[in-house]
């Protein structure tokens, strides 16, 4: 029966004598009820095995199904409790030294060789790279070498990843440089007006490394590894692309051969570059650009042909040796190409005294925060990817502790902040690294260099170092991702552009901060308009489905079933209230809604704003003699409802474990109510609007019309419902 | 059959001869398939009417079901397009002047009287209040009166609420005061060093009002009314509680009778108060505190006894008249109680010249932003509540325009920023206001005052004004809410405390900003651990349910069905990947998983981070010969999958409209695969692990054990699956 026919037939029924109207009406709900019961008896009804909140709460597994900060808190508490229980020495060793895990099953015959090869490969890569990145960070080259020494040993012992190659990386070096320069600038210190600027700067770098380490360890202890979820793919890609460009720009001064004051925004750096372009030194440019070309060529080669896979790792060493030989033979320095000069020989001294002698942590807070978040994100991403390939687990918290100890050792032994390197980790993995032994080999190679080979590396020229940095960051400019985002998701593209342009023109910290805020705001707005659906009963079942998707789903007059498909919280609570109201008004055009059943099964959690809105809804609807039923709330939501006193207001009788139970209850109530009401009010004209049809045709539009007579003045209906509420 | 028996029987089957093992295995999947088909034939299978994305996309209604920024964009575009279509004069009048809507159906006989009474009631309330709030804002009292004049007329014409009483309010006055003081301080201007400080300050207030108005209008035009969703109930409650305390503190100087320099943080204000406590003036205190006591007494009376409902509105007028009479008779001023003095007579002059003569919008940005958000939130909350009571709709965008015009008129006619007032709107509604006529009456009363009665109000003493402010904000200190939050939701309590303490000790803007950020971060963390579930088939149906809730649900060996109950985006994508991996590993202990079916019906949207993770999952699983199937993605998600190229990778054959279809497909595939494989490999020992039982008992734990033989080395299985993937 289509909607229009439905309203016709109810119009016809108006012509019946009063008793006919009544008879028809009285039996309607009873019919519905009977039919439901028959359906279920004839067909194969779905047995409802509903969950029992109190039992479920005890279920450790289901606890993990609920998320959020409270979950995190519980998890953390559990971990601490577990740690306090008696454990064997082995357990302790394993939890403190993740190294123990791979060491106990280490196969000295088969994997040692692979580890040594991988370690040496990374070693010959890290020596020139670490010196380059130290220069990028505004530090003497030995800082890079020292960061690749003790910290790498430390990570081998405390780190959880077996393929991750830690050490200085470009992004962190840039963050350190811009951050510390700003800190000193705010202090009124510039290289010009401060004679010992370099020393102060170096000490700050050591302190930053130490504090970053402590920060990581604390985050590990308090299981705060999840902070990286704040960084969306678009933010990271846009940020690293822009940072790569800025890094490239900072290196141009070595290629062009004249001093270019660095600045945090691109346009000012371009001005600085072109202002003194007259001092352009073609010799440094020739050397630098040919090194860049060679390095990029080798990289491409290694990518294209697997048999040249060592080319990528060897290339930096080749250009290094090449320019050292050049310097030794034709004396580049005398020809106007600056060289490194004066690298202190021997092991790094203990800098613990400097590391802990911190004036103000507040000053360093921004630089520490940015290094901690960006560094950990870079490291954990590659560590997880490599772990996935080799089928072992990375525990974010332990990994944080590992990185923390490494950074702390950096601070204690003359290094600067470090993290896992994308490029070296990839090389390490490709070269066959199987355990931390590879890292130990790498660090040992670096140790040999600082002990015996510093006089050789003193001959290295700056354009060569710059070329290593530039070739390292070129591939980070991820314009392909931008094109992809534009095609797939315009708003993510917007976030990418904000991260990219913000980082380029406002500086790395501000650009990153802005993009993170924007992406979080978009999440909030995205979640502010949750999906809701009017549900209808699938004929012959106890299943309730979205009437948009299931046209055959049946609606019952006077009862509205709404499902909310999202957690209810402050950003969407009012929207949900408005939607329910709209549904109710639309459905109420045909027949006054007496029961609104809200299905809560997809509501993972509610906050107090939601509780206030529910309270308000209950009050408003109660005044209009509409009863609110809640079905299938989970344990957590149920607890909140009880604590807030909402269960007392709505009454527990109106909270059901299944929508079907709620519907049967409502039909029963309406049935009893109407039957008890009508005999006293036999000739009431207002009954007209009660003679509507059950909507059960598959062809009708979602909410079918029956008679559309007004109901606003029908006091009897309200009185009747008020009585019904007394029932419940 | 219970889990232990299941594993026993499969262990027994190991003792069978090879052919027995094989026979049993070959027929297993076939049996499953047959049984499913039988189940559906015998029982009453649920007909699946699945949605068709392309058709659904056209469905205007379903568009509104999807949320987020794109939805907002679409909606806005639609509104603009609609506005550009030809419309009748009436439509135009209605959209520009919301007044038209109530005017055309205004009943001059019945509602005019009620409106006049309500308007007069609000009028006698607004005259003393507006002067008090102007003092609170650091402005001469006439600013308050002017803000209650032209802007109130303007709101009556352009506003959509019929009961909202706009005008100066305490919160906005405080925000203006702290904001402008800071702006001038940053400019190096203090009342001491700047002779025309008051004039500059007044001009800034006028400019702020004008800019706030423009801001509101722009937000209305671009439909940005949703910004208020950023403010959770806990944030608002904590913030207003602290602001009320600060407002009270600023008024103490009038009660105590000596100058107390205001400061943005509580502890410094307390220091300021007690430093000069020796100058305490008992006369001002006596007058002020007795006024406060009287006002609060009348308020309580009005609340307790409905017949005294006008007491609340009359009380401010009573204390005003009382102190004016006192001044006129016993000359309070001569006795050391300061009076207002010198209110310019006549209508406000046109201040358009001042309003547009703005030096730098940037300086005022923070104060404008805070006033716009807090002001609109306060106004829309009460407007919606009143509209709900009187059953009409409030359009946020139109309301923004209405408030915007009112504020702009404030700037043009010597006023300062205003918004809807909680207390006066409540009184307006209680007094029976039915339309904007009430506002017109109020404004007319104010006009009469500024034209003829200013000499009278010049006699008003400051302690009286302060007492009106204090009695107005006392009820805003919402400590009950804090207790409620502590009981119901600890994290919301934390947000409340941050808002409260932050506002008290760090200043209103910073406190509010911090609390908003914290509440948003909590949302992100809450959503970062979404609910996921392993689904099993309800016996005899095509329904799939969480095996935690439905113990009778059946699992099929080698197939894992996972439902994700949240939108997938950057904050939770990795968590979801890890969870699926964990499920797969746990299920894989018994029998190698060959198909992972992910149900997307509850995934409202995906972002590009999610697409990257899905891509990575597909790649990883593909390498391990596990196929990923996606079921029931909505139109929006499907579009993203297609644009990102994921549909080509996974292949469209692996994307299904229902989980049941996917399962049948997988069983078919496995069946064909295994049958084709085994004849060539008759005596393969590795088949042992394929002899597991179908898990169908209601008593078994979620993932039952069968044989737990390794499968890692079974190359044939992998080869077979590789072949199967060729099929798909």
């Amino acid at each position: 029966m289509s909607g229009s026919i439905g309203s016709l037939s109810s119009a016809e029924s108006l012509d019946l004598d009063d008793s006919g109207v009544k008879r028809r009406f009285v039996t309607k709900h009873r019919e519905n009820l009977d039919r439901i019961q028959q359906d279920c008896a004839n067909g194969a009804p779905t047995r409802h095995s509903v969950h029992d909140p109190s039992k479920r709460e005890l279920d450790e597994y289901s606890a993990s199904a609920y998320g959020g900060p409270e979950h995190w808190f519980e998890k953390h508490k559990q971990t601490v409790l577990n740690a306090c229980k008696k454990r064997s020495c082995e357990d302790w060793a394993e939890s403190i030294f993740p190294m123990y895990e791979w060491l106990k099953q280490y196969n000295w015959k088969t994997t040692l060789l692979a580890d040594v090869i991988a370690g040496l490969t990374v070693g010959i890569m890290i020596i020139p790279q670490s010196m380059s990145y130290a220069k990028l960070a505004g530090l003497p080259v030995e800082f890079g070498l020292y960061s690749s020494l003790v910290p790498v040993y430390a990570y081998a012992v405390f780190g959880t990843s077996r393929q991750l190659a830690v050490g200085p990386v470009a992004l962190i070096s840039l963050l350190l440089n811009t951050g510390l320069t700003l800190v000193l600038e705010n202090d009124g210190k510039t290289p010009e007006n401060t004679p010992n600027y370099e020393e102060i700067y170096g000490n700050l770098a050591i302190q930053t490394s130490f504090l970053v380490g402590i920060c990581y360890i604390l985050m590990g202890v308090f299981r705060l590894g999840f902070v990286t979820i704040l960084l969306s793919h678009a933010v990271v890609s846009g940020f690293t692309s822009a940072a790569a460009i800025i890094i490239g720009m900072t290196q141009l001064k070595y290629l062009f051969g004249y001093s270019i004051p660095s600045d945090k925004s691109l346009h000012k750096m371009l001005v600085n570059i072109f202002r003194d372009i007259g001092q352009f030194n073609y010799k440094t440019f020739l050397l630098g650009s040919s090194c860049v070309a060679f390095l990029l060529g080798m990289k491409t080669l290694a990518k294209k042909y697997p048999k040249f896979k060592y080319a990528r790792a060897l290339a930096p060493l080749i250009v290094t040796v090449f320019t050292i030989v050049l310097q030794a033979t034709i004396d580049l320095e005398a020809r106007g190409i600056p060289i490194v000069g004066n690298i202190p020989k021997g092991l790094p001294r203990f800098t613990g005294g400097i590391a802990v002698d911190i004036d103000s942590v507040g000053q360093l807070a921004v630089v520490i925060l940015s290094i901690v978040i960006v560094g950990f994100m870079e490291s954990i991403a590659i560590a997880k990817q490599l772990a996935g390939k080799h089928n072992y687990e990375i525990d974010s918290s332990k990994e944080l502790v590992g990185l923390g100890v490494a950074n702390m050792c950096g601070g204690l032994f003359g290094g600067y902040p470090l993290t896992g390197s994308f490029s070296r980790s990839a090389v390490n993995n490709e070269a066959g690294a199987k355990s931390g032994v590879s890292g130990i080999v790498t660090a040992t190679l670096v140790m040999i260099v600082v002990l015996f080979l510093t006089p050789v590396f003193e001959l290295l020229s700056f354009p060569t170092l710059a070329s290593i940095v530039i070739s390292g960051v070129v591939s980070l400019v991820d314009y392909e991702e931008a094109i992809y985002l534009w095609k797939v998701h315009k708003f993510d593209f917007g976030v990418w552009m904000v991260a990219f342009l913000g980082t380029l023109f406002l500086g790395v910290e501000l650009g990153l901060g802005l993009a993170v805020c924007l992406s979080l705001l978009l999440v909030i707005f995205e979640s502010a308009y949750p999906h809701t659906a009017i549900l209808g009963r699938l004929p012959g079942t106890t299943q309730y489905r979205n009437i948009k998707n299931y046209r055959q789903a049946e609606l019952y007059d006077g009862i509205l079933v709404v499902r909310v498909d999202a957690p209810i919280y402050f950003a969407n609570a009012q929207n949900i209230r408005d939607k329910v109201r709209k549904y109710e008004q639309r459905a109420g055009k045909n027949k006054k809604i007496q029961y609104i059943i809200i299905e809560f099964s997809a509501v993972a959690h509610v906050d107090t704003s939601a509780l206030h809105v529910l309270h308000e809804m209950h009050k408003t609807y109660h005044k209009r003699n509409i009863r609110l039923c809640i079905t299938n709330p989970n344990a957590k939501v149920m607890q909140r409802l009880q604590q807030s006193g909402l269960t007392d207001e709505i009454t527990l009788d109106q909270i059901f474990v299944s929508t079907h139970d709620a519907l049967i209850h409502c039909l029963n109530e309406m049935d009893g109510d109407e039957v008890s009401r009508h005999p006293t009010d036999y000739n009431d004209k207002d009954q007209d609007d009660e003679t509507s049809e059950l909507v059960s045709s598959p062809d009708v539009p979602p909410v079918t019309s029956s008679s559309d007579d007004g109901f606003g003045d029908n006091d009897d209906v309200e009185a009747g419902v008020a009585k019904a509420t007394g029932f419940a």
Side-chain angles (χ1 to χ4, degrees), chain A:
Chain A
M1 192 186 292
S2 83
S4 54
I5 295 178
S7 57
L8 250 176
S9 77
S10 69
E12 283 170 344
S13 72
L14 295 181
D15 300 331
L16 290 172
D17 62 316
D18 275 330
S19 66
V21 171
K22 198 215 101 197
R23 225 182 306 123
R24 186 152 176 215
F25 173 79
V26 168
T27 51
K28 186 178 60 111
H29 290 300
R30 174 57 54 204
E31 274 167 15
N32 279 349
L33 261 174
D34 290 349
R35 202 174 52 73
I36 287 182
Q37 273 145 22
Q38 235 170 25
D39 278 351
C40 293
N42 292 344
T46 307
R47 269 161 292 155
H48 268 264
S49 138
V50 288
H51 64 250
D52 172 359
S54 63
K55 185 175 136 231
R56 209 182 167 179
E57 268 169 288
L58 297 170
D59 192 350
E60 175 259 333
Y61 183 87
S62 89
S64 77
Y66 303 123
E70 301 200 17
H71 163 54
W72 163 82
F73 182 74
E74 277 306 313
K75 198 172 154 190
H76 179 55
K77 207 172 74 182
Q78 209 50 50
T79 316
V80 172
L81 284 177
N82 286 345
C84 294
K85 281 183 195 156
K86 270 191 184 171
R87 301 200 292 181
S88 69
C89 280
E90 201 180 316
D91 290 340
W92 276 110
E94 216 176 295
S95 80
I96 298 176
F97 306 108
M99 176 195 204
Y100 186 82
E101 206 174 317
W102 55 259
L103 207 59
K104 68 180 176 191
Q105 59 190 29
Y106 196 72
N107 188 331
W108 294 96
K109 276 185 200 160
T110 56
T111 49
L112 184 61
L113 185 68
D115 272 337
V116 170
I117 291 175
L120 289 176
T121 315
V122 173
I124 56 174
M125 204 172 164
I126 204 174
I127 292 161
Q129 272 194 351
S130 65
M131 292 197 283
S132 310
Y133 292 149
K135 286 311 292 178
L136 168 58
L139 294 161
V141 290
E142 63 265 26
F143 271 80
L145 291 170
Y146 297 161
S147 295
S148 321
L149 185 46
V150 187
V152 175
Y153 280 122
Y155 185 81
V157 176
F158 291 97
T160 50
S161 174
R162 299 166 199 176
Q163 281 81 24
L164 190 74
V166 300
V169 302
L171 219 51
I172 300 300
S173 303
L174 177 73
L175 284 172
L176 186 77
N177 190 351
T178 57
L180 292 189
T181 309
L182 197 73
V183 166
L184 288 173
E185 223 174 77
N186 288 345
D187 245 21
K189 287 174 186 149
T190 62
E192 288 76 34
N193 70 14
T194 317
N196 58 345
Y197 186 84
E198 218 167 275
E199 192 192 326
I200 297 175
Y201 189 95
N203 288 352
L204 278 182
I206 287 170
Q207 291 169 1
T208 307
S209 188
F210 185 72
L211 289 174
V212 165
I214 289 183
C215 215
Y216 276 140
I217 292 173
L218 288 178
M219 281 168 69
V221 170
F222 292 109
R223 305 189 75 80
L224 293 170
F226 58 71
V227 289
T228 53
I229 60 170
L230 294 180
L231 298 167
S232 80
H233 198 275
V235 169
V236 172
S237 167
F239 169 70
T240 46
S241 299
I245 291 174
I246 289 179
I247 290 170
M249 303 284 282
T250 62
Q251 299 303 301
L252 285 184
K253 63 181 169 191
Y254 299 118
L255 256 65
F256 289 3
Y258 59 90
S259 161
I260 301 170
S262 73
D263 195 284
K264 65 176 180 177
S265 54
L266 182 75
H267 54 288
K268 286 188 191 154
M269 276 191 83
L270 285 174
V271 169
N272 290 346
I273 289 171
F274 286 105
R275 201 176 43 201
D276 300 324
I277 195 85
Q279 300 174 32
F280 183 78
N281 180 340
Y282 75 95
K283 289 176 195 158
T284 54
F285 184 73
L286 212 66
L287 178 66
S289 54
S290 50
C291 286
V292 170
F294 176 77
L295 288 167
L296 291 180
M298 294 291 268
K299 235 179 166 174
T300 319
L301 199 73
K303 215 180 259 171
K304 269 199 174 160
Y305 306 100
K307 65 173 174 177
F308 289 108
K309 70 175 180 179
Y310 287 99
R312 182 178 171 187
L314 278 173
L317 189 73
I318 294 172
V319 296
T320 307
V321 170
F322 172 71
T323 47
I324 287 172
V325 169
L326 268 189
Q327 167 66 20
T329 51
I330 59 170
D331 197 355
L332 293 173
E333 195 180 13
R335 289 159 202 265
I337 295 177
I339 63 165
V340 171
N342 191 31
I343 305 175
K345 204 169 171 174
L347 292 175
R349 67 201 166 90
F350 179 73
T351 52
I354 297 169
V356 297
D357 184 27
I358 299 154
D359 279 339
S360 160
V361 178
Q363 279 189 318
L364 294 173
V366 173
V367 51
I368 290 172
L369 190 75
S370 59
I371 288 177
V372 161
I373 293 186
V374 173
F376 181 58
M377 182 208 66
E378 183 169 350
S379 203
I380 195 79
I382 187 124
K384 281 206 170 173
Q385 203 175 323
L386 291 173
K389 276 187 186 164
H390 294 274
N391 216 20
Y392 62 88
E393 285 294 325
I394 291 283
D395 178 338
S396 296
S397 304
K398 281 189 191 169
E399 180 62 15
L400 272 166
V401 173
L403 272 183
V405 173
N407 271 291
M408 239 174 77
C409 288
L412 294 177
F413 297 98
Y416 78 99
L418 62 134
T419 192
S421 153
F422 273 119
S423 58
R424 292 196 301 273
S425 300
V427 167
N428 197 25
N429 179 49
E430 279 164 30
K434 290 276 175 285
S435 74
V437 170
S438 142
I440 293 171
V441 172
T442 301
T444 309
L445 189 67
V446 174
M447 186 159 71
I448 293 169
V449 168
V450 298
L451 282 177
F452 310 111
L453 292 175
T454 49
V456 176
F457 285 102
E458 282 175 359
L459 305 177
L460 193 54
S461 63
F462 282 126
T464 313
L465 287 181
S467 71
I468 292 171
V469 173
I470 291 173
S471 77
V473 297
V474 161
S475 59
L476 293 182
V477 183
D478 199 3
Y479 61 92
E480 282 171 358
E481 178 73 14
I483 297 168
Y484 169 84
L485 292 177
W486 172 254
K487 277 194 297 192
V488 176
H489 202 297
K490 299 283 182 294
F491 279 91
D492 275 2
F493 174 78
V495 171
W496 192 94
M497 285 310 282
V498 167
F500 182 74
L501 297 177
T503 305
L504 275 188
F505 292 103
L506 301 173
V508 278
E509 279 101 356
L510 195 56
L512 184 62
L514 261 183
V516 168
C517 285
L518 179 67
S519 64
L520 296 186
L521 283 182
L522 282 177
V523 170
I524 303 291
F525 288 134
E526 196 103 38
S527 73
Y529 306 94
H531 185 257
T532 55
I534 297 181
L535 302 187
R537 177 166 169 265
L538 294 184
T541 72
T542 58
Q543 301 295 323
Y544 292 77
R545 283 291 181 286
N546 186 353
I547 55 170
K548 296 273 156 264
N549 297 343
Y550 294 79
R551 294 256 154 167
Q552 78 272 37
E554 302 170 343
L555 296 172
Y556 292 86
D557 274 349
I559 300 174
L560 176 70
V561 186
V562 180
R563 191 185 64 213
V564 178
D565 281 342
I568 310 182
Y569 75 109
F570 64 83
N572 65 21
Q574 307 206 346
N575 185 281
I576 288 169
R577 180 196 58 197
D578 293 350
K579 268 182 152 179
V580 171
R581 198 173 165 223
K582 229 177 263 173
Y583 288 156
E584 180 255 315
Q585 280 175 337
R586 221 183 309 161
K589 273 181 196 156
N590 313 314
K591 167 80 170 66
K592 186 183 185 318
I593 294 294
Q594 296 187 36
Y595 290 89
I596 296 179
I597 301 172
I598 304 183
E599 213 202 275
F600 262 55
S601 51
V603 177
H605 53 88
V606 293
D607 77 346
T608 48
S609 299
L611 293 171
H612 281 288
V613 166
L614 282 173
H615 170 80
E616 189 203 314
M617 278 171 79
H618 167 73
K619 251 176 54 184
T620 315
Y621 284 127
H622 193 75
K623 266 185 200 156
R624 294 177 49 205
N625 281 315
I626 297 174
R627 298 225 60 182
L628 216 59
C629 301
I630 290 176
T631 67
N632 211 16
N634 71 33
K636 199 171 154 192
V637 172
M638 193 62 199
Q639 197 191 356
R640 296 245 192 275
L641 291 177
Q642 270 167 335
Q643 284 169 336
S644 69
L646 255 174
T647 44
D648 301 332
E649 279 175 35
I650 299 178
T651 74
L652 271 173
D653 296 346
Q654 302 290 115
I655 298 176
F656 299 89
V657 282
S658 88
T659 307
H660 189 63
D661 295 348
L663 193 94
I664 290 197
H665 169 85
C666 294
L667 284 174
N668 266 326
E669 288 271 307
M670 282 164 81
D671 195 20
D673 168 35
E674 311 288 29
V675 169
S676 70
R677 183 173 71 80
H678 279 272
T680 66
D681 229 332
Y682 198 78
N683 289 319
D684 189 355
K685 278 259 171 161
D686 289 322
Q687 283 175 15
D688 295 351
D689 65 321
E690 311 277 1
T691 53
S692 58
E693 281 284 283
L694 169 74
V695 180
S696 62
S697 149
D699 304 312
V700 293
V703 180
T704 43
S705 62
S706 48
S707 72
D708 53 357
D709 213 327
F711 55 79
D713 303 339
N714 189 345
D715 285 338
D716 294 311
V717 172
E718 304 201 5
V721 175
K723 212 167 169 182
T725 57
F727 264 51

